[in-house]
Amino acid sequence: LAKILIVEDNEMNRDMLSRRLIRKGYAVVMADNGLKGVEMAASEKPDLILMDMSLPVMDGWDATRTIKNDPATAAIPVIALTAHAMASDREKSLAAGCDDYDTKPIELDRLLTKISRFITLDNNQQAQMRGAA
Amino acid sequence: MKGVVFTEFTEMVQEKFSADILDDIIDACDLKSGGVYTAVGTYDHDEILQLVDQLSTKTGVPVGALVRAFGEYLFSVFHRSYPQFFTRSQGSLDFLSGVHDYIHVEVRKLYPDAELPAFSYSRPDARTLVMEYKSTRPLAALAEGLIQGCIAHFKDGVSFTAEDLSGGAGTNARFTMVKPA
């Protein structure tokens, strides 16, 4: 299964998003702060990271910079998620090394389209998605 | 409609039914949001109606009963989240009398873009409170559940009757609450 790491401190947001992604055929691992996100990027080797930007311990911008500066994790695509629907946040996220950017509240179809630009589901996962649709 | 209504609905479905049923009903709906709700978001009220319809289909519980149950559940959440609204009320009629002029005013301070129903009041006698609900949304059953949750909270023996005034549309209803003699 294609694996997504969700880095998000709000438990309900994490839970809602993870369960939707699992239903869509992805494997999901989660971290509740930026530092744990960095550690899990290295240990879990996810295919993609969804990174909230406002995080405790280490914020999403620093976490992304750390991930992108480590050769072992630099190639993992990072999509920034932020509630701040401002152009400056998009620029700031991209400058930190994020590969794409999406705003919260999440619209799942829009986010799935962005995810699919970086990772493609294998045949089994596509069958699972069709079954869930 | 405020996201907190959706997040509490999903909590209730998980608590009263199961997480799998929640996932199943979200999958069965055609939701613009995709069902990833956050308390600070705002979503089309049609999404809650779709979710309740699907929950009814999945569980066999009638829609009205589910919406009333959700209203009761929301009242307990309301009490837990905003205890300051309860300090000045002596009982359920007292509390309900302040919904329009106090609670909704305070709700608008917290959520300036909240779209709230209108309530008009009459007191035919000292023991009786009549509230008329009017909304563009068909959620009279939700108001009914909230009122029943209020009566259950204060445990003051108030009797309750509901009368639909909208030909079944759920947009206009009269609620009558009577204190015991």
Side-chain angles (χ1 to χ4, degrees):
Chain A
L1 292 181
K3 189 195 289 183
I4 295 177
L5 168 61
I6 299 173
V7 190
E8 160 71 75
D9 61 325
N10 182 296
E11 184 182 0
M12 176 167 276
N13 293 350
R14 213 167 51 228
D15 180 56
M16 293 291 287
L17 180 56
S18 66
R19 297 228 316 276
R20 289 288 83 212
L21 291 175
I22 289 167
R23 279 280 171 131
K24 297 298 180 186
Y26 295 100
V28 173
V29 290
M30 295 180 276
D32 62 5
N33 67 57
L35 185 60
K36 281 189 195 165
V38 171
E39 291 167 357
M40 290 182 72
S43 63
E44 294 284 341
K45 294 282 188 293
D47 298 286
L48 180 138
I49 299 170
L50 295 174
M51 180 75 76
D52 183 27
M53 290 289 127
S54 301
L55 291 167
V57 185
M58 178 189 282
D59 70 28
W61 289 287
D62 280 344
T64 301
R65 272 190 286 270
T66 307
I67 288 165
K68 291 296 184 179
N69 283 333
D70 180 347
T73 54
I76 302 170
V78 177
I79 298 178
L81 299 175
T82 172
H84 312 298
M86 294 167 59
S88 59
D89 279 325
R90 178 185 169 81
E91 300 312 315
K92 197 174 164 187
S93 301
L94 297 178
C98 293
D99 299 273
D100 205 346
Y101 170 95
D102 203 16
T103 53
K104 294 199 283 187
I106 286 165
E107 282 188 24
L108 190 62
D109 283 347
R110 187 183 63 203
L111 181 61
L112 289 172
T113 300
K114 293 188 177 185
I115 291 171
S116 69
R117 287 180 195 146
F118 297 102
I119 51 177
T120 49
L121 295 169
D122 63 27
N123 290 340
N124 287 339
Q125 289 171 296
Q126 287 179 22
Q128 193 174 342
M129 277 187 73
R130 282 193 297 273
Chain B
M1 179 173 272
K2 302 313 295 178
V4 65
V5 176
F6 291 85
T7 55
E8 292 304 338
F9 179 79
T10 59
E11 286 285 298
M12 184 195 77
V13 174
Q14 290 182 85
E15 188 180 309
K16 308 278 187 197
F17 299 97
S18 72
D20 279 344
I21 284 185
L22 174 63
D23 288 333
D24 288 345
I25 65 171
I26 291 175
D27 281 339
C29 291
D30 179 18
L31 306 170
K32 183 170 183 283
S33 68
V36 185
Y37 298 113
T38 177
V40 296
T42 300
Y43 304 94
D44 193 319
H45 79 279
D46 172 68
E47 294 201 5
I48 199 82
L49 300 177
Q50 281 194 58
L51 289 164
V52 172
D53 269 346
Q54 288 300 332
L55 182 59
S56 174
T57 302
K58 182 87 183 164
T59 63
V61 180
V63 167
L66 287 172
V67 176
R68 280 190 294 277
F70 179 46
E72 287 192 51
Y73 181 88
L74 262 189
F75 190 88
S76 63
V77 173
F78 183 58
H79 176 248
R80 195 169 65 238
S81 304
Y82 303 104
Q84 68 271 28
F85 290 165
F86 290 79
T87 54
R88 60 184 238 172
S89 296
Q90 302 301 313
S92 52
L93 294 201
D94 196 25
F95 183 88
L96 292 168
S97 298
V99 167
H100 193 68
D101 291 334
Y102 174 56
I103 305 292
H104 280 184
V105 170
E106 295 299 315
V107 169
R108 282 193 199 286
K109 289 179 193 171
L110 294 168
Y111 304 106
D113 59 343
E115 294 179 48
L116 302 168
F119 282 104
S120 57
Y121 294 87
S122 62
R123 295 298 297 255
D125 59 59
R127 292 197 298 119
T128 307
L129 172 66
V130 179
M131 294 172 70
E132 186 175 335
Y133 163 95
K134 277 188 186 170
S135 175
T136 55
R137 294 162 179 172
L139 293 171
L142 186 66
E144 191 179 330
L146 282 161
I147 292 171
Q148 289 177 326
C150 175
I151 293 169
H153 169 79
F154 283 101
K155 299 184 179 73
D156 48 7
V158 165
S159 66
F160 171 82
T161 54
E163 181 187 358
D164 175 51
L165 303 175
S166 57
T171 53
N172 186 195
R174 183 184 297 126
F175 306 122
T176 302
M177 285 68 67
V178 182
K179 267 201 276 195

